[in-house]
Amino acid sequence: MLADPLQACLLHFDDETDAAGRLAQAAQLPAKMIERHRFPDGELKLRLPVDGAGRLPPQVVLLRSLHDPNEKLVELLLAARAARTLGARHITLVAPYLAYMRQDIAFAPGEVVSQQVVGGFLAGLVDAVITVDPHLHRVATLQEAMAVPDAIALSGAEPLSDLIARRRPHALLVGPDGESAQWIAQAAVRHGFDHAVCTKVRHGDRDVTIELPPIAAAGRAVVLLDDMASTGRTLALATRLLRAAGAASVDVAVTHALFAGDALQALNDAGVGEVWSTDCIPHASNAVAMAEPLAQALRSLLQRRGGLRQSAPLP
Ligand SMILES: O=P(O)(O)OC[C@H]1O[C@@H](O)[C@H](O)[C@@H]1O
């Protein structure tokens, strides 16, 4: 790796070495690992990869995809705060999956609006965030959820659309609920797919009702496209309805492969054919690599910040 004129490095944890390697190579940054030690009582000790003088470069990129988020939020708190004291003047969080974005409103008095709390917490740690398809339903922009100077939201819809065009060139794209309309529109326009969106009501974690849109699904190769599968119940029910409406096949494409518990079994039982996802969350279904688009966004952000650094102090 050539010395980086941006004076930047990418820090990652030991369980994301592969993803860090891919991103670092695409962004042409040196990747360095943060050492973790877990004490017998569950507390964490981190050690950041400082240079011989005990310092970090001025631009630090922290890679952490925030599935299984609770402990990772503590790791980010420790790592980001320490990075500042060790010389980082600009910290970018690359979180291909950004957690806690779905709890964006208090449905009952006293309910915590996690999106605001976690968004505010992360905004207090870093100067920039790059993520993919953050679940922003009632909030229009990532900046509203996470008020940092640079909040960049990429999408997996177009790369997933490219994959679908190769695997199911005549697919009917279906979104399982109103929230998916944004991704369906992006993916459909890219390759001219027929498309439609269902109506969904959520009653509980694993309990949803769905109404199909007025479309002719009979005989069609349907691909359900969504931002994420968590319990898989949304996609499983949509699949059952589409199968009952005569769809020749139903495959699933998601940006975030959370697949909690028996989610994959539920999809299988419902009659889903193939399951494709981006590699924002490592999973056996990963079929679309996001390192290139993430690296492009990161490179241009660092260049912008590096340019600022020459003429004015970084915030
Ligand atoms: O039904 P599961 O997989 O649990 O939840 C995922 C769904 O719930 C929504 O917020 C997501 O956008 C997706 O449609």
Side-chain angles (χ1 to χ4, degrees):
M1 181 71 60
L2 296 172
D4 194 308
L6 294 171
Q7 293 182 273
C9 76
L10 184 148
L11 305 187
H12 64 93
F13 294 87
D14 49 89
D15 56 345
E16 284 188 304
T17 305
D18 291 348
R22 289 193 294 272
L23 180 59
Q25 176 155 15
Q28 297 179 279
L29 289 175
K32 296 183 179 174
M33 195 167 80
I34 299 172
E35 286 175 27
R36 284 190 294 184
H37 173 75
R38 181 190 289 278
F39 290 108
D41 60 6
E43 289 186 4
L44 286 166
K45 178 177 74 172
L46 303 184
R47 185 175 176 207
L48 302 191
V50 289
D51 64 15
R55 306 291 290 168
L56 289 169
Q59 299 215 73
V60 162
V61 179
L62 273 170
L63 172 67
R64 208 60 178 133
S65 201
L66 289 169
H67 51 292
D68 299 324
N70 297 347
E71 184 162 308
K72 291 177 184 171
L73 292 174
V74 177
E75 291 168 358
L76 285 177
L77 168 68
L78 298 173
R81 285 273 192 263
R84 292 268 188 228
T85 66
L86 295 169
R89 296 171 65 202
H90 185 265
I91 302 178
T92 301
L93 170 65
V94 177
Y97 176 65
L98 194 54
Y100 282 111
M101 292 295 108
R102 291 204 282 172
Q103 293 83 17
D104 59 358
I105 196 173
F107 291 97
E111 230 173 58
V112 175
V113 183
S114 310
Q115 184 187 83
Q116 280 174 7
V117 176
V118 174
F121 169 76
L122 292 172
L125 297 180
V126 302
D127 308 292
V129 64
I130 301 175
T131 189
V132 184
D133 289 334
H135 191 93
L136 303 173
H137 179 199
R138 282 159 280 253
V139 162
T141 64
L142 178 59
Q143 196 107 30
E144 285 174 63
M146 213 181 137
V148 287
D150 292 288
I152 299 169
L154 307 178
S155 179
E158 292 194 346
L160 284 168
S161 174
D162 294 346
L163 174 89
I164 295 163
R166 291 195 300 276
R167 304 296 298 272
R168 301 286 184 268
H170 307 295
L172 166 63
L173 288 194
V174 175
D177 55 25
E179 296 165 31
S180 64
Q182 51 187 305
W183 300 294
I184 289 291
Q186 255 183 294
V189 80
R190 188 162 172 92
H191 291 285
F193 290 121
D194 293 341
H195 59 285
V197 170
C198 304
T199 310
K200 179 178 86 180
V201 178
R202 183 174 285 285
H203 308 284
D205 291 346
R206 292 178 164 72
D207 183 13
V208 294
T209 47
I210 289 178
E211 200 178 311
L212 286 186
I215 41 160
R220 299 293 304 266
V222 176
V223 177
L224 280 165
L225 178 72
D226 206 357
D227 63 332
M228 67 177 74
S230 177
T231 68
R233 274 15 184 218
T234 296
L235 292 170
L237 179 57
T239 299
R240 286 185 197 284
L241 296 172
L242 287 159
R243 284 287 201 188
S249 62
V250 181
D251 303 299
V252 158
V254 292
T255 301
H256 300 300
L258 288 165
F259 294 119
D262 63 354
L264 279 179
Q265 188 60 50
L267 294 188
N268 202 37
D269 294 347
V272 166
E274 297 205 37
V275 178
W276 303 302
S277 63
T278 76
D279 62 0
C280 288
I281 296 174
H283 189 264
S285 61
N286 288 170
V288 167
M290 292 301 291
E292 276 300 333
L294 285 168
Q296 268 176 32
L298 181 56
R299 245 354 249 189
S300 77
L301 173 71
L302 293 179
Q303 266 151 9
R304 215 154 12 98
R305 302 307 299 182
L308 280 182
R309 188 164 50 81
Q310 281 153 25
S311 52
L314 286 167

